[in-house]
Amino acid sequence: MRCLRVFALIVLCGASWSSGTASADDGAAALLPFQGTQAAKLRQSVQKGLRTQDVSLVPLKQVSAVTKKTKGYAKQASKLDASVLVKTRVRRAEGRWIADTEVRNAKGARVEKLRTTSSSLARLSNRLVAALMKTGLMPTATAAGAATVATEQEPAPPEQPRLVVRPFKGTQAAKVRGAAVRGLSQEPIELYPNAKFADKAKSLGADLDSNGGHVAPAVALAVSGLFEGDVLREDGVWSAYVRLVDGRSASVVNQHYYDASSLSGLMKKVRGNVGPDFRGDIRNLGVVAPGAVAVAPAAATIAAPIEEEPKKEPAAEESKAKRKKKGDGPAAVDIEADFRIVRRTLRYNDDIYDELRDYTLKAGPGVALKFQYFPGAHFTDGVGAQFGIDFEWERVIDFESTNADGQSFPTQAQQFLIGLRWRYPTGRWEPFVVADYGVQKFEFGVSGPAIPGEDNTAGVPGVRYKFVRIGAGFRVALGKNETYIIGANIAFRGVFSVGGIGTYAWFPEATANGMDAGLVFGFALPLGFEIRIGGDYRRYGFDLNPVPPDPPDVPPPPYVAGGALDQYLAGTIGVAWRR
């Protein structure tokens, strides 16, 4: 008798456990609050990613409310009616994002442990979604019963604009499409799975490859718009045309062009800009209600869409004109006008007779004009668009220098450069190299008419440097809309003529070489204008090569010194136009 009682008790417990398991398996997945850096953002991205995979999910607000009041995984799963609990800790180490994830069942027991890493938070979200789906533990909507199946076939009216990202066409189109999906996933929209959209079209007998073939399934599913794209690679440049098509007609709402010198650069550009670029257009489309559409026979044609001009790829000239208008391609012209304040110092080393005068200009006002022109950018985005002409001119406003005796000497200071420039734009970065020929002078006049016995010269040698300049630098745009600009450059100046300081009256054997460096900060304005503030530094180092008198009866040179250092420091503020 006792054995029968024990057996009955075991059977009852087993039945109870079985029924509880079945109930739990019918539940949804719940993402418990993530912990660590950017945890909330990652949790939202993972929720969106799982939703696109048709995973049944408990709303995040409901999960957060329950976990605050309920302790213990089993109790939390019971209150949430969840069959799977997902908990993740996020951290960043050595430039990479790391997510350690635990997957628990309805009883709170850990059934899976995952680790995913990536260099970006968006990619980490995608990898975590893929890892969770690979476990096979995520409950899909098809497992929720007939009611859920009906809901899948006819989704509830959307609360946000419902959009479909159709397959892109061209080289590496799938990767660029993925970048667009990741960028759009950050927007306040609902991304409807393309596979489901295609199934709906098939059930309605609609041909998605025909003009307006998307209208019937879009109306039935309350899809506001569809994204399409074409990816090209020409002359070493990757480009993509991304279009937003109205869900209820064949009209193209808007199109944006993106380009970069590499596939990864193009993907980054699409991911970062597709959401903001189309945000206003999506808002204008708004949320639409599902409509009734008759199922067409397989051989029949769907109801004629609104008559529009057939979609066609823009001609190359039209595309480039549109791109130039929006300023998305490489700039063809960069013109800058500056106001300058210049400081100059000339110092000698090893002045044997202590007769040389150092010179200082504390602050000399001046103006400058810079011009860069890339003629090939009018016709192509490839290599031909990256070679240009480089020109600079600057002048310190004429002034007078005064010596210790109070005498004044008219002074002129000026520089010009002309040469070639080559750039290599990659996304927001634009590194470049330059090769220029240049002349810089700083010369003194006389204090007045010559008077016997009096010195009417400044007592400081003039310079007129002629040089070849070889340098490199970069320009980078920062901010969400590339509002802020930083530029820097450095160059070597190979001097082959030094002017007055190299004459017999001063140092006939003098030689020199120089360098320059600059830094600029900019702020972008509408229509291609920019405000730029910067500074530059130049220096020329001299070997004066003093020559001892030989033979002895020849008088020694008037001045003897080992070397000299001529330095220029300037601050600038100006306006530029770049298109």
Side-chain angles (χ1 to χ4, degrees):
M1 190 65 177
R2 180 175 297 176
C3 293
L4 288 174
R5 290 178 179 174
V6 172
F7 178 75
L9 182 60
I10 292 174
V11 170
L12 288 173
C13 290
S16 174
W17 179 85
S18 298
S19 62
T21 302
S23 174
D25 289 342
D26 290 340
L31 301 186
L32 301 182
F34 288 10
Q35 298 177 345
T37 307
Q38 296 287 350
K41 184 176 181 180
L42 179 63
R43 184 183 180 217
Q44 291 177 352
S45 298
V46 172
Q47 181 94 346
K48 287 184 179 180
L50 290 174
R51 187 176 291 119
T52 62
Q53 298 293 328
D54 302 329
V55 175
S56 298
L57 293 166
V58 181
L60 292 181
K61 289 184 178 180
Q62 182 181 348
V63 176
S64 299
V66 169
T67 53
K68 283 182 179 179
K69 299 178 181 179
T70 308
K71 303 299 181 182
Y73 295 118
K75 292 182 179 179
Q76 291 172 354
S78 176
K79 287 197 173 185
L80 293 170
D81 193 20
S83 61
V84 176
L85 301 177
V86 178
K87 184 177 182 180
T88 298
R89 180 180 296 274
V90 191
R91 58 191 174 92
R92 185 170 174 83
E94 298 181 356
R96 294 188 66 82
W97 291 93
I98 303 172
D100 292 310
T101 303
E102 294 181 353
V103 181
R104 297 179 179 270
N105 60 20
K107 294 185 175 182
R110 188 175 70 190
V111 293
E112 194 75 45
K113 188 174 182 180
L114 310 170
R115 168 167 286 188
T116 47
T117 66
S118 179
S119 58
S120 72
L121 200 62
R123 195 175 294 115
L124 180 69
S125 170
N126 295 335
R127 291 184 177 179
L128 181 53
V129 170
L132 290 171
M133 295 304 298
K134 192 174 181 180
T135 63
L137 299 172
M138 296 295 103
T140 59
T142 55
T148 306
V149 172
T151 303
E152 284 187 2
Q153 293 176 348
E154 300 296 339
E159 297 180 357
Q160 296 175 323
R162 182 175 289 166
L163 302 168
V164 175
V165 183
R166 297 285 295 143
F168 285 12
K169 298 178 181 179
T171 307
Q172 298 289 352
K175 291 185 178 180
V176 179
R177 177 185 181 272
V181 171
R182 290 193 291 274
L184 291 168
S185 65
Q186 307 301 317
E187 298 296 310
I189 62 176
E190 177 188 334
L191 287 178
Y192 193 79
N194 176 66
K196 286 189 173 185
F197 184 79
D199 290 343
K200 186 65 176 179
K202 185 177 181 181
S203 69
L204 294 174
D207 181 7
L208 291 177
D209 293 328
S210 66
N211 182 37
H214 65 271
V215 173
V219 170
L221 297 172
V223 170
S224 300
L226 299 90
F227 280 96
E228 300 175 349
D230 297 290
V231 184
L232 305 172
R233 187 172 188 269
E234 296 177 337
D235 298 328
V237 176
W238 290 85
S239 61
Y241 294 91
V242 181
R243 298 180 295 278
L244 175 61
V245 181
D246 192 334
R248 304 209 165 198
S249 72
S251 63
V252 176
V253 177
N254 202 349
Q255 174 176 273
H256 286 277
Y257 172 88
Y258 307 97
D259 68 343
S261 58
S262 65
L263 177 61
S264 60
L266 178 63
M267 292 170 62
K268 183 178 179 180
K269 202 166 188 178
V270 169
R271 184 175 65 247
N273 294 300
V274 67
D277 286 347
F278 286 98
R279 188 175 295 155
D281 303 310
I282 295 172
R283 189 182 301 115
N284 291 336
L285 285 177
V287 180
V288 298
V293 178
V295 178
T301 305
I302 63 169
I306 298 174
E307 292 186 3
E308 297 280 349
E309 287 293 326
K311 289 187 296 181
K312 56 184 179 181
E313 294 300 323
E317 294 80 4
E318 182 180 338
S319 300
K320 288 181 174 59
K322 184 174 182 180
R323 171 177 56 75
K324 291 299 176 190
K325 182 178 179 182
K326 294 188 176 183
D328 290 332
V333 179
D334 190 312
I335 303 175
E336 178 179 349
D338 293 330
F339 174 76
R340 296 170 57 84
I341 295 292
V342 181
R343 174 183 173 84
R344 185 215 183 186
T345 60
L346 174 65
R347 300 287 185 267
Y348 295 95
N349 300 322
D350 302 324
D351 180 4
I352 302 299
Y353 301 136
D354 196 24
E355 293 182 352
L356 292 166
R357 299 177 185 174
D358 293 337
Y359 178 82
T360 299
L361 170 64
K362 293 184 178 179
V367 294
L369 178 66
K370 300 179 181 180
F371 177 72
Q372 299 167 22
Y373 180 51
F374 299 86
H378 293 295
F379 313 104
T380 178
D381 297 330
V383 176
Q386 315 313 336
F387 290 91
I389 299 169
D390 195 38
F391 174 80
E392 294 184 17
W393 171 86
E394 64 185 50
R395 183 182 182 91
V396 178
I397 298 172
D398 290 352
F399 63 100
E400 292 190 344
S401 299
T402 305
N403 64 12
D405 298 330
Q407 291 178 292
S408 297
F409 306 90
T411 309
Q412 292 185 346
Q414 182 173 284
Q415 172 184 267
F416 87 87
L417 302 171
I418 187 167
L420 299 176
R421 174 179 293 253
W422 179 78
R423 62 186 177 182
Y424 186 72
T426 56
R428 299 188 177 202
W429 286 85
E430 186 179 292
F432 62 84
V433 295
V434 293
D436 297 321
Y437 165 77
V439 177
Q440 180 179 357
K441 72 174 185 178
F442 201 106
E443 297 176 330
F444 304 90
V446 296
S447 61
I451 299 175
E454 293 186 10
D455 185 6
N456 66 342
T457 64
V460 179
V463 294
R464 183 186 290 263
Y465 303 111
K466 298 180 180 179
F467 53 86
V468 174
R469 177 176 180 265
I470 305 295
F474 69 87
R475 168 191 168 98
V476 59
L478 305 174
K480 188 173 183 180
N481 296 315
E482 301 187 4
T483 304
Y484 306 99
I485 299 100
I486 297 178
N489 65 84
I490 188 169
F492 167 75
R493 299 187 175 203
V495 180
F496 55 86
S497 177
V498 296
I501 195 173
T503 61
Y504 183 77
W506 293 96
F507 303 97
E509 301 298 325
T511 59
N513 278 309
M515 60 82 64
D516 64 73
L519 182 65
V520 63
F521 299 94
F523 181 80
L525 301 173
L527 304 177
F529 288 95
E530 297 177 4
I531 294 175
R532 297 178 182 174
I533 300 174
D536 57 74
Y537 170 73
R538 299 170 199 158
R539 61 179 288 162
Y540 298 90
F542 281 88
D543 185 350
L544 298 178
N545 296 312
V547 180
D550 188 19
D553 57 342
V554 175
Y559 304 103
V560 178
L565 183 62
D566 191 9
Q567 300 182 93
Y568 302 80
L569 184 63
T572 66
I573 181 169
V575 63
W577 183 70
R578 178 183 174 89
R579 295 291 279 184

